[in-house]
Amino acid sequence: GAGVSQTPSNKVTEKGKYVELRCDPISGHTALYWYRQSLGQGPEFLIYFQGTGAADDSGLPNDRFFAVRPEGSVSTLKIQRTERGDSAVYLCASSFQGPYNEQFFGPGTRLTVL
Amino acid sequence: AQKITQTQPGMFVQEKEAVTLDCTYDTSDPSYGLFWYKQPSSGEMIFLIYQGSYDQQNATEGRYSLNFQKARKSANLVISASQLGDSAMYFCAMRAPTGANSKLTFGKGITLSVRP
């Protein structure tokens, strides 16, 4: 079956602009996660949805970052007034209630803020 | 708070040999899960193996096995019979408490290069 998909694969924007990153999870997966991976580092947690609601948003760095999942499937990560420090790969993952609850990751969106 | 430590520099292994990738962790939760993921140059994270803190036996999945030493808080990944396609970044991660959908805490990763 189809895996987690993310669009766009690459996004280049200018400092101060607004961007939206989209994640389409595996069908039937109720949990959805956003992570950010900077060069040479492991992924860092941003936010986690169970269904439509944000169950844990403790990783969002500041109020410029916001995410939604209005119908419990597709999620959008929104970044306002982008800064150069926001440049990273944004990874989305989804999981279901299985024996390991392992997370299945998408290919990521590489965001570059000029 | 949870912490994962991966301190090995880039690792090299000869094709068909075994290699061990180190991971130590820290958590105050008695119930936790440990994961290893592979990230090839394409960027997608691939789940390899899982070890629960209460599992009596070390986890194995094909050529992957986990050397889980709970008292030492280590969860080293062993890859047997290395293949050229094993060349990638490898990340150790933890979820605490386990049993629920919650965030993963990742280490910095280890680069593995398999030589022909």
Side-chain angles (χ1 to χ4, degrees):
Chain A
V4 178
S5 62
Q6 293 186 245
T7 54
S9 55
N10 279 282
K11 176 70 177 179
V12 180
T13 191
E14 294 180 342
K15 180 174 177 291
K17 299 289 189 182
Y18 168 82
V19 296
E20 289 190 354
L21 311 180
R22 174 188 168 108
C23 172
D24 203 337
I26 294 172
S27 178
H29 283 196
T30 57
L32 184 147
Y33 310 79
W34 285 98
Y35 293 85
R36 178 167 71 174
Q37 187 175 21
S38 301
L39 194 63
Q41 302 294 318
E44 292 181 305
F45 170 76
L46 295 176
I47 185 170
Y48 146 57
F49 288 89
Q50 184 63 45
T52 59
D56 183 355
D57 64 357
S58 62
L60 294 177
N62 51 58
D63 61 6
R64 296 187 297 106
F65 288 74
F66 189 70
V68 295
R69 195 186 186 200
E71 298 178 355
S73 178
V74 171
S75 176
T76 305
L77 179 65
K78 308 180 181 191
I79 310 174
Q80 299 176 323
R81 305 184 303 280
T82 52
E83 300 177 356
R84 292 194 179 89
D86 298 335
S87 296
V89 175
Y90 289 80
L91 295 168
C92 177
S94 67
S95 69
F96 66 104
Q97 200 72 28
Y100 305 146
N101 296 335
E102 72 268 33
Q103 296 177 18
F104 296 83
F105 282 79
T109 294
R110 181 175 298 278
L111 176 66
T112 303
V113 182
L114 301 176
Chain B
Q2 292 82 38
K3 185 176 181 181
I4 295 286
T5 302
Q6 295 180 267
T7 58
Q8 288 169 305
M11 294 286 289
F12 294 86
V13 64
Q14 203 68 31
E15 193 178 9
K16 299 180 185 176
E17 292 186 351
V19 63
T20 299
L21 306 181
D22 295 343
C23 172
T24 59
Y25 61 90
D26 192 23
T27 180
S28 56
D29 285 293
S31 175
Y32 50 88
L34 295 158
F35 298 78
W36 277 91
Y37 280 84
K38 172 184 177 181
Q39 188 176 44
S41 56
S42 60
E44 194 156 342
M45 301 282 282
I46 302 167
F47 167 70
L48 297 178
I49 196 167
Y50 169 84
Q51 179 83 44
S53 59
Y54 292 124
D55 292 345
Q56 294 298 311
Q57 294 186 327
N58 286 345
T60 61
E61 286 286 350
R63 294 187 299 111
Y64 305 107
S65 61
L66 210 150
N67 183 2
F68 180 48
Q69 298 187 45
K70 195 170 181 177
R72 297 181 60 185
K73 295 191 173 181
S74 73
N76 299 340
L77 177 70
V78 180
I79 305 175
S80 62
S82 296
Q83 301 173 356
L84 295 178
D86 294 335
S87 294
M89 283 285 289
Y90 288 80
F91 291 94
C92 181
M94 175 167 55
R95 180 179 62 224
T98 193
N101 285 318
S102 59
K103 67 182 180 185
L104 293 176
T105 300
F106 285 85
K108 291 182 65 174
I110 302 167
T111 303
L112 176 65
S113 299
V114 181
R115 291 173 168 151

